[in-house]
Each structure stands twice: as C-alpha cells, then as structure tokens.
Amino acid sequence: MSQEKTFYITTPIYYPSDNLHIGHAYTTVAADAVARFKRATGYNVWFLTGSDEHGQKIERKAKEKGQSPQEYVDKIVSGFKHLWTELEVTYDDFIRTTEERHKKVVQQIFQKLYDQGDIYKASYEGWYCTPCETFWTESRLEDGRVCPDCGRPVELVQEESYFFRMSKYAGTLLQHIENNPEFIQPVSRHNEMVSFIKSGLDDLCVTRTTFDWGIQVPFDTDHVAYVWVDALANYISALGYNTGDDSLYQKFWPADVHLVGKDIVRFHTVIWPIILLALGLPLPQKVVGHGWMLLDSGKMSKSKGNVIYPLELKEKYGLDAVRYYLLREIPFGDDGYYSEEALVHRINQDLANDLGNLFNRTAAMVVKYFDGVLQEPGALQGPDTELINLAQDTPQTLVNYMDNMEVSGAVASVGKLVNRVNKYLEETSPWALAKDPGQKDRLNTVLYNVVECMRQITVMISPFMPEFPQRAWPLLGLENNTELHSWESLVWGKLPGGTKLKKGKPLFPRIDPAALD
Ligand code: ME8
C-alpha cells in the first residue's frame, strides 16, 4: 500500500493593520506557490494562514479609532481575506486568534504548562516594545533604550506575571538545532539562532495584566496570555490539537515548513519549539526565514508614505506579473529591493519578450505554415537533443529548488528553459525552413519540439502564475486536454501531433517605461 504524502505549510498570522503591503504579500504568495507546487506533485497539502488579533498594540489602535477591539479586527481581517482571494492564494484554512477554537487550545496549553510546573508566578520588571510585542532585558537594549529589533523606544513594565521556564529547555533545543541543520534555514539564520541561544535564555514573561485584549489565563483570570505565545499556538490550534476532532493534527503535524520573515525567526525557532518540547510534541521540520522586500528609501511605512499595495499593482499590471515579480525578485534568504522600474523591466524582458513572445510567435507560425495543426516530428538532429534534455531535466531541478524553499531559483529554472527554447528558434530558424519545401520534415520537428516545450513550461509555471495556463492552453489548443496539464505528463513526447494551435492576443503586452509616473 502506498503511503499518502502529506505536506503542511504555514505563513505567519498577520497583525491586523490597515493594509497589508507587498512585503506581506510576498510571504503568502511564496507559501501559495509552494502549496500549489506540492499539490501538483502529488502531496496532500494543508496550507494555513490567518490573523494575529490580540495584544496591547491592537487594543490601543482600536481605542484611537473609537472602536471595540473586536470591531476593529473584524473589519481588517475581512480585508485580508479579500486580498488573498485577489492574489489567488489557495489557503486551506484561515485561523483567527479571536476564534473560540483557538482560545480553547491556548488555555489548555497554559494550564498544562502550569500544572507541570513550567509556568510560575513572579514579578516582572523590565522593558517592553509594544510595536514588536517583545520583552527585552536591559542588557539587550540598544543605546537610548530602544528596541534592538525595530529601533523604537521601549516602555518600562512593572507587573506581576507568570513566567515560562525557557531556560530549562535551552540545552535540548540547542542540541536539536545542532543535530538538525535543516531545521532553521537559511544557514545564516541557523548560525544567528545558535549564538542567540548560547548567549543564554531567560525565562519568558508569558502573561500581562495591564490590558484586557487577550486570551484569559485559565488559572488566574486577571492575566491575559502574552500575544506571541497565543499567536504561535495557531499552528496546532487550527489543526484541532487536543480537541474532540484532532484528525488534521494527526495527519499534518509536525509542520513541514513554517515560512516566516527574518524578523520573526527567533520566535519560531526559540519560543515555539520550547513550547512544543514542554508539551512533549514533535517540532516542525523546518523554519525558513526569508529576506525582506525593501525600498531604496528604506522600510515601507505609512508615515513615510512609501507603502506599496499589492492590489494597486495587480490593477495596473495583472496578477501573474505581480506574482512573478515577487517570487523572482527576492533571492533565497536575501532581501530584495522593490522598484516599479524593476517590475516593468521584468514584465517587458522576462514576460513579454521571452515568455509571451515565444508563445505568440510560435502559435502564429504553426497557424501560418500548417493552418494551426501541429505535425508529427521527424528524426532529431542538431540542437534538438540538448533542448530536449534540458526540458526533461527541468522538472527535477524545480523539485530540488522547491524542496529547499528556493522559490526564486525555481522560477528562474523555468526561465532558463524559456530562454533555451528562444535560442533554439534562432538556431533552427523555422521561418527559413518554411520557405524550402525540401525542409518540411525538419520544420515539423522544430515546431513540435518548441510547442512540446511550451506545454511543459505552462505546466511548470502554473504554481507561480496561476492565470497563465488559462490563457496559454487555448493558444496551444489544449484547454480540454487536462491530462496534458498535469505534472505526471511532463514526459517528453506526450503532446500528440494533430493538436490545433490558435493565434492569440499578446500574452504579455509590453509596457512603455516612459509611461511610468
Ligand atoms: O510578525 N518584506 O505579524 P506582522 C517581507 N503577527 N516580509 C515582510 C515585510 C517586508 N517588507 N514586512 C513584513 C507578525 N513582512 C506576527 C506573526 S506568527 C505566529 C505571528 C513579514 O503582520 C514579516 O517578516 O508584523 C512577517 O513574517 C510577516 O510579514 C507578518 O508580519
């Protein structure tokens, strides 16, 4: 009996903020591309996203707007869902930390950790960064008492609190990280976390009393749960951990990948695994910390007025172009720099010149020379074998990149095949072969090879650019032949002769860079 292959991937759950920008969209679109890719390659995938709705920051913002925190978050979270729908993000579940199913699990976790003596009461006096919802000891603060993560002033907090015995598990965690080098990726983040843990872990303050907007601690109702402990638990509460129906938990935990931005790697590779260790649960396979999408002017922020909204870009350039750009532009683990010029350059170069033009001009040739009907290929010669070999290797290359979460490399490897096909067209010049009746057989072979590559490119690119296939299949005359859309069909020569291609409008019209504002 073959065992079902499962794959559980999560994004961070986002703080409700007025609008998510392209940096947030990057994480979720990248996770979506991985989820789509895994589904296409035979996995039973669970893809989770959601919203992180508690904490002092939200309580304050709601107050500023004269709303209750619940009213405030409800409105924003419906905007998140709209955004993900518009970006064609295929999540399987959206967890809100204000949902009952989540609260119950967080309360059970607190109770268990308390009952087993891993949570104890003491009084907390120290520093708190409200924007980051992070506690800091004096020694970790930057000069001038600012948060070492975001550079904003911290606040002095003095309250009676409960603490979680992180220190008790530090050695076990360090051992796990050192024995499993793939646990934290990329390696730069692995190294950072190893030295962070080695510098000593303090017990973590896990409850607050000076505000109400949080999950009540079951054994002391004056306290609410620290928002990060609340938030991290989403990865198992959404699976029904420790409830009457924990079938999803049984099937999908431990997660294969928590995809997170580099700023929150520490929470996911120190606090979260220690909670899991204390609960006696398995740790996630991988935490991948991706780089940030930056602007020349620095970080995006509302106050600087330089926030780039994904839906505005979609409106202007189309979904596939925006997704392609995001996924291609941020190299694995590094930061990427957003600029509209770079986006337009990618559209004009990679999508209009290379990809779109390949499809449009090839379809036009088959229509012109054979009334659209693709002929059976003849004997191979010249550069055919090299092209076919690359086409046959590309699916495995893609699998390797995606297994390492190197989405940009994966997209680039499809681009490499596109470029090789374009070069092949120049090398074989079907337009010249068409003028010579003695070369009919060669012309058939060349066009067959090119169209078979186009079919395979369409299959391989669909997790990244989900709208592309809907436009490419009709051009290739394959819209109803879904068997040839599948990953299993990526075997050279599956495309039957006799397929009828159509001429179409440019798949990616060029954009005049001069027209940019
Ligand atoms: O951190 N480029 O939520 P969040 C790339 N609620 N990624 C970016 C980015 C940028 N310019 N700006 C932000 C939280 N991000 C917590 C998570 S998970 C249990 C709780 C990424 O809304 C950031 O790195 O502040 C993070 O991964 C994600 O957006 C959510 O940020």
Side-chain angles (χ1 to χ4, degrees):
M1 207 178 75
S2 74
Q3 199 164 7
E4 187 186 34
K5 296 188 291 180
T6 60
F7 186 80
Y8 178 30
I9 181 165
T10 67
T11 70
I13 52 172
Y14 299 92
Y15 289 127
S17 75
D18 281 345
N19 259 310
L20 296 186
H21 55 60
I22 51 159
H24 301 111
Y26 168 70
T27 317
T28 304
V29 167
D32 179 62
V34 176
R36 285 173 180 266
F37 184 82
K38 286 286 178 183
R39 285 188 203 111
T41 52
Y43 286 78
N44 183 353
V45 170
W46 198 254
F47 171 21
L48 177 71
T49 190
S51 47
D52 182 0
E53 305 182 17
H54 291 125
Q56 192 164 7
K57 188 168 55 176
I58 306 295
E59 192 180 76
R60 282 184 188 166
K61 278 199 191 142
K63 206 167 186 186
E64 275 165 28
K65 297 206 175 230
Q67 294 171 351
S68 75
Q70 192 66 54
E71 267 176 309
Y72 173 75
V73 293
D74 282 350
K75 189 154 170 286
I76 292 180
V77 170
S78 70
F80 283 12
K81 290 186 178 171
H82 172 70
L83 172 62
W84 303 143
T85 304
E86 286 289 315
L87 299 180
E88 295 190 20
V89 170
T90 56
Y91 58 79
D92 294 291
D93 193 6
F94 188 105
I95 179 99
R96 298 183 58 179
T97 55
T98 48
E99 285 173 281
E100 224 29 67
R101 60 170 173 156
H102 174 75
K103 290 188 201 170
K104 267 200 239 155
V105 172
V106 171
Q107 288 178 328
Q108 283 162 1
I109 292 175
F110 264 83
Q111 190 68 52
K112 180 164 169 33
L113 297 179
Y114 182 66
D115 291 345
Q116 69 191 35
D118 280 336
I119 285 181
Y120 62 91
K121 198 172 191 178
S123 112
Y124 182 75
E125 182 172 330
W127 302 94
Y128 196 72
C129 173
T130 305
C132 294
E133 301 281 14
T134 309
F135 294 99
W136 293 108
T137 53
E138 179 97 37
S139 62
R140 296 224 194 235
L141 294 182
E142 302 277 310
D143 288 348
R145 299 226 166 106
V146 296
C147 168
D149 272 356
C150 73
R152 285 175 280 201
V154 290
E155 298 173 53
L156 184 64
V157 174
Q158 281 167 308
E159 53 191 75
E160 183 188 69
S161 293
Y162 286 89
F163 282 77
F164 175 41
R165 286 188 209 282
M166 299 259 288
S167 49
K168 176 173 154 192
Y169 296 94
T172 317
L173 176 63
L174 190 59
Q175 208 175 18
H176 180 84
I177 293 175
E178 290 185 326
N179 292 343
N180 297 277
E182 75 295 347
F183 176 57
I184 305 177
Q185 293 191 18
V187 68
S188 53
R189 317 258 185 258
H190 166 95
N191 296 339
E192 262 171 52
M193 287 306 115
V194 168
S195 53
F196 181 82
I197 298 166
K198 282 188 173 161
S199 73
L201 288 189
D202 298 313
D203 288 349
L204 178 70
C205 177
V206 289
T207 69
R208 303 290 310 273
T209 52
T210 48
F211 63 95
D212 299 323
W213 184 237
I215 298 177
Q216 227 174 38
V217 171
F219 46 84
D220 189 340
T221 51
D222 290 339
H223 291 247
V224 295
Y226 169 43
V227 66
W228 267 101
V229 175
D230 166 351
L232 289 160
N234 90 88
Y235 301 129
I236 56 175
S237 69
L239 298 179
Y241 163 71
N242 217 15
T243 63
D245 178 5
D246 70 349
S247 51
L248 287 172
Y249 175 80
Q250 294 300 341
K251 192 166 188 173
F252 290 107
W253 191 259
D256 292 271
V257 181
H258 289 318
L259 180 65
V260 302
K262 60 182 183 179
D263 54 321
I264 58 173
V265 168
R266 188 162 42 83
F267 299 93
H268 285 82
T269 58
V270 180
I271 301 180
W272 179 225
I274 290 186
I275 294 172
L276 291 167
L277 285 172
L279 294 172
L281 302 180
L283 305 192
Q285 305 287 356
K286 265 185 207 174
V287 176
V288 177
H290 65 71
W292 271 35
M293 185 57 108
L294 299 171
L295 300 173
D296 282 342
S297 51
K299 260 166 98 164
M300 270 172 264
S301 84
K302 252 189 153 177
S303 52
K304 281 196 210 160
N306 62 358
V307 179
I308 311 291
Y309 295 114
L311 291 188
E312 288 173 13
L313 294 182
K314 176 186 166 182
E315 183 86 359
K316 209 162 161 189
Y317 299 113
L319 177 66
D320 279 343
V322 175
R323 284 183 58 125
Y324 175 82
Y325 172 76
L326 287 174
L327 298 174
R328 180 72 184 82
E329 203 68 11
I330 301 194
F332 181 61
D334 294 340
D335 292 334
Y337 284 84
Y338 171 82
S339 77
E340 195 156 357
E341 289 73 28
L343 168 61
V344 167
H345 179 75
R346 285 257 179 232
I347 294 173
N348 284 345
Q349 186 61 47
D350 301 6
L351 300 183
N353 278 6
D354 298 344
L355 180 65
N357 197 24
L358 167 65
F359 277 63
N360 286 114
R361 72 170 166 158
T362 306
M365 279 192 278
V366 180
V367 168
K368 185 167 169 198
Y369 306 145
F370 302 112
D371 205 18
V373 182
L374 188 69
Q375 307 295 299
E376 290 286 351
L380 300 182
Q381 52 172 280
D384 299 1
T385 313
E386 192 202 321
L387 176 75
I388 295 171
N389 285 346
L390 182 66
Q392 283 181 318
D393 291 346
T394 305
Q396 188 55 46
T397 309
L398 213 58
V399 167
N400 296 344
Y401 276 118
M402 293 303 267
D403 278 351
N404 289 328
M405 298 292 291
E406 296 188 46
V407 179
S408 169
V411 177
S413 69
V414 185
K416 192 172 156 199
L417 180 59
V418 171
N419 291 339
R420 186 64 192 87
V421 189
N422 279 322
K423 188 168 158 235
Y424 176 82
L425 278 173
E426 298 309 316
E427 288 163 349
T428 53
S429 308
W431 43 90
L433 297 173
K435 290 190 184 134
D436 180 351
Q439 294 284 0
K440 162 106 186 9
D441 205 38
R442 182 69 191 136
L443 179 62
N444 291 346
T445 310
V446 165
L447 288 177
Y448 180 89
N449 289 344
V450 174
V451 176
E452 175 60 329
C453 282
M454 286 156 54
R455 177 183 76 85
Q456 301 204 9
I457 287 164
T458 307
V459 173
M460 288 189 278
I461 215 152
S462 62
F464 313 101
M465 295 164 61
E467 291 186 342
F468 182 74
Q470 296 155 34
R471 290 177 300 137
W473 292 135
L475 204 78
L476 297 175
L478 294 175
E479 64 270 44
N480 297 320
N481 194 343
T482 48
E483 218 174 283
L484 294 185
H485 303 178
S486 71
W487 190 262
E488 297 77 53
S489 78
L490 295 181
V491 174
W492 188 261
K494 282 255 178 193
L495 178 66
T499 302
K500 192 154 193 291
L501 282 81
K502 288 183 208 75
K503 256 165 88 162
K505 284 193 296 205
L507 291 178
F508 294 101
R510 274 185 70 79
I511 290 157
D512 179 3
L516 291 178
D517 333 311

